[in-house]
Amino acid sequence: MAISELTDAVADLPRAVVETVDRPIPFIQPETRETVRNQVLGIIHEYRIENPPGAAEQD
């Protein structure tokens, strides 16, 4: 998976998911934060459940 695919993955994820992923980022080494964030968001994007129960209330 290319970095551009990981970056683009954020566009269609719910804001709450992106905010949740961003919370622990300050605890990651500064030089790897963006890479870790993109990898986690990419994994969520790739393996997410399309319409999980209760998703309508979160967005």
Side-chain angles (χ1 to χ4, degrees):
M1 187 177 298
I3 294 295
S4 61
E5 291 177 46
L6 298 176
T7 304
D8 295 339
V10 177
D12 67 342
L13 289 176
R15 183 175 29 132
V17 171
V18 177
E19 290 172 356
T20 300
V21 170
D22 284 342
R23 284 188 196 131
I25 293 300
F27 299 99
I28 306 296
Q29 294 178 8
E31 62 274 7
T32 61
R33 286 179 183 163
E34 194 62 29
T35 300
V36 170
R37 180 180 184 273
N38 288 336
Q39 288 176 341
V40 171
L41 290 169
I43 290 167
I44 293 169
H45 176 76
E46 187 173 345
Y47 295 103
R48 71 184 177 157
I49 299 170
E50 286 301 320
N51 294 310
E57 301 106 36
Q58 294 176 5
D59 217 12

